[in-house]
Amino acid sequence: MTKARILHLGKFYPPASGGIETALETLCQDPSGTVNNRALVMSKGGQTVHEVVDGVDVTRVGSIATIGAVSVSPGLPIWLSRTKADLIVLHEPNPMALVAYFLARPSTPLVVWYHSEVIRPRWRYRLFYEPFLEFALRRAERIVVGSPPMKEVAALAPYRDKCVVVPYGLDARRYQATPPIAAKAAALRRSIDGPILLFVGRLVRYKGVEVLLHALPGLHAQTVIVGGGPLGDVLSHSTKELGLDDRVRFIGEVTDEDLLAWYYACDALVLPSTSRQEAFGLVQLEAMLCGRPVVSTDLSTGVPWVNQHERTGLVVPPGDVAALRGALARLVCDVDLRRALGEAARARALNEFAAESMCRAARHVYQEICPHLFPPKSTELPVMTLP
């Protein structure tokens, strides 16, 4: 039987880094053998490139400019209209993909994977973004979100009956402490005096790194900041002003191998995000798979749904410097607490957020829309319906 052809319309594809890119890669690498996933994304250069990445067909359409965080790719609507598929999965937020879909208007059934909310000035959102998003949401057969709280996003209110929860998942095999990783992590620990707090992410305002910096004075710990972004210079200046030069390291972008070593070297991951733009925090799962507790914020998104307060880590109000300092101090001073939370974090990540479970749930969504493309008698376990 011919495999169902699933076209994922995304922004970028690995090795480009980011939570959405990781989720897209996980879906495309579905190990079941029952679907044929391919990705149509944008290139960060001007040339269109076709390649096979770990067995996945990827087309990266050339871009002519970048406006803010948006790559402008005039050829994307043409490629979308030419690509043959049984089902399109549009990964949102993605302004260029929404415009491409609006212009191409393919008759192929559509799923919108709503990864996170778009936070923009209201006039700009209503004028430049909302019309294209509404067009896609109206046409979508299903709208997928990563956690139950994300079903309550205002933009999805008129379409709640289409919404289905598919939690993100990661392949635990990619997060194992192999001998080389363990050796590198041990070397990192020897190079740093005291407990290590780790932040991983883009240096943008909603990530709350400024709040983290103000929470650090008085803590006997070293903080490592992994990632780059437009606020790099501002945050570096704040570090100097707060007298934290000897306790905060900005190390920029790192390889996957080095990042994994930092996860194992650290004592806790900190995700101090302050806005609903942080919809899930996939880095939480990465740290949890490595047995590390997480300190995150009580946003009305999936962030505190993933990291459970006093079970897998600690959760504090967003933007609350004193509460964040208190939570970090608890972990810095209590080795047993770090160990207990880290063990529970790993168990939760393994049991509740596996890549296989994510792919199976996604296939269930595809099968509901296009039952004729799947075998009539499935041997897979039924997908649990989440609240």
Side-chain angles (χ1 to χ4, degrees):
M1 189 174 189
T2 304
K3 296 179 183 179
R5 299 169 300 174
I6 312 298
L7 176 67
H8 293 269
L9 180 57
K11 188 174 182 181
F12 300 117
Y13 194 87
S17 62
I20 296 177
E21 286 73 23
T22 299
L24 175 55
E25 180 184 42
T26 300
L27 290 168
C28 286
Q29 291 182 347
D30 181 345
S32 69
T34 60
V35 291
N36 180 12
N37 290 293
R38 65 169 302 175
L40 178 63
V41 298
M42 285 167 281
S43 169
K44 294 186 178 181
Q47 298 297 316
T48 295
V49 178
H50 308 277
E51 56 187 339
V52 177
V53 182
D54 295 328
V56 178
D57 288 322
V58 179
T59 299
R60 306 180 197 265
V61 182
S63 301
I64 61 171
T66 300
I67 302 175
V70 179
S71 294
V72 179
S73 181
L76 191 62
I78 299 172
W79 281 103
L80 178 59
S81 64
R82 290 175 177 172
T83 304
K84 303 299 182 183
D86 299 305
L87 183 72
I88 295 172
V89 183
L90 193 161
H91 293 266
E92 150 69 19
N94 192 339
M96 191 65 232
L98 290 173
V99 171
Y101 184 82
F102 178 83
L103 294 175
R105 305 194 177 204
S107 58
T108 309
L110 174 70
V111 171
V112 172
W113 204 297
Y114 193 92
H115 292 277
S116 66
E117 194 171 3
V118 174
I119 308 296
R120 293 286 187 274
R122 187 61 185 164
W123 68 269
R124 193 186 304 170
Y125 176 82
R126 297 197 68 172
L127 186 61
F128 297 112
Y129 204 100
E130 189 175 43
F132 301 105
L133 176 60
E134 285 291 316
F135 180 78
L137 293 177
R138 284 196 305 268
R139 289 188 124 204
E141 300 285 341
R142 294 288 187 278
I143 300 167
V144 177
V145 294
S147 67
M150 287 303 293
K151 292 174 70 174
E152 308 305 316
V153 170
L156 302 182
Y159 311 101
R160 199 153 291 149
D161 59 334
K162 296 183 182 182
C163 293
V164 59
V165 177
V166 175
Y168 296 109
L170 295 175
D171 185 350
R173 294 172 298 180
R174 299 176 65 171
Y175 297 88
Q176 293 177 340
T178 61
I181 293 297
K184 185 171 287 192
L188 291 173
R189 287 202 65 85
R190 288 194 298 269
S191 70
I192 294 179
D193 179 31
I196 301 172
L197 303 174
L198 179 68
F199 168 88
V200 179
R202 289 259 302 152
L203 301 184
V204 291
R205 192 165 302 281
Y206 80 86
K207 290 290 185 178
V209 180
E210 187 79 36
V211 178
L212 172 59
L213 293 177
H214 281 85
L216 294 178
L219 290 180
H220 178 63
Q222 296 285 326
T223 301
V224 175
I225 310 291
V226 175
L231 292 185
D233 291 341
V234 173
L235 294 171
S236 180
H237 180 70
S238 294
T239 301
K240 292 182 174 65
E241 284 193 328
L242 291 166
L244 297 170
D245 276 3
D246 60 337
R247 282 179 285 166
V248 176
R249 297 187 184 186
F250 290 87
I251 63 173
E253 302 286 350
V254 299
T255 65
D256 290 345
E257 184 180 87
D258 285 345
L259 177 57
L260 186 55
W262 276 114
Y263 277 132
Y264 277 104
C266 80
D267 293 281
L269 176 79
V270 190
L271 186 67
S273 304
T274 58
S275 161
R276 287 180 57 89
Q277 283 174 275
E278 192 71 79
F280 190 90
L282 205 59
V283 293
Q284 296 186 115
L285 287 189
E286 294 181 336
M288 290 163 68
L289 280 172
C290 298
R292 297 304 180 259
V294 177
V295 177
S296 59
T297 49
D298 193 18
L299 299 168
S300 56
T301 65
V303 172
W305 179 74
V306 175
N307 176 38
Q308 298 182 335
H309 185 54
E310 299 286 359
R311 181 187 170 195
T312 61
L314 302 174
V315 179
V316 301
D320 190 327
V321 172
L324 181 58
R325 180 183 293 124
L328 296 176
R330 281 186 65 191
L331 292 182
V332 165
C333 297
D334 194 334
V335 175
D336 291 336
L337 178 62
R338 295 202 302 264
R339 183 179 299 113
L341 293 176
E343 289 174 355
R346 176 168 166 76
R348 176 163 168 73
L350 287 172
N351 294 330
E352 306 295 334
F353 300 102
E356 185 179 353
S357 298
M358 178 187 182
C359 292
R360 185 171 64 245
R363 291 195 303 273
H364 182 74
V365 173
Y366 308 156
Q367 188 172 13
E368 284 188 336
I369 299 169
C370 304
H372 61 288
L373 298 174
F374 292 83
K377 292 183 179 180
S378 175
T379 58
E380 295 182 338
L381 295 174
V383 176
M384 180 180 65
T385 301
L386 295 170

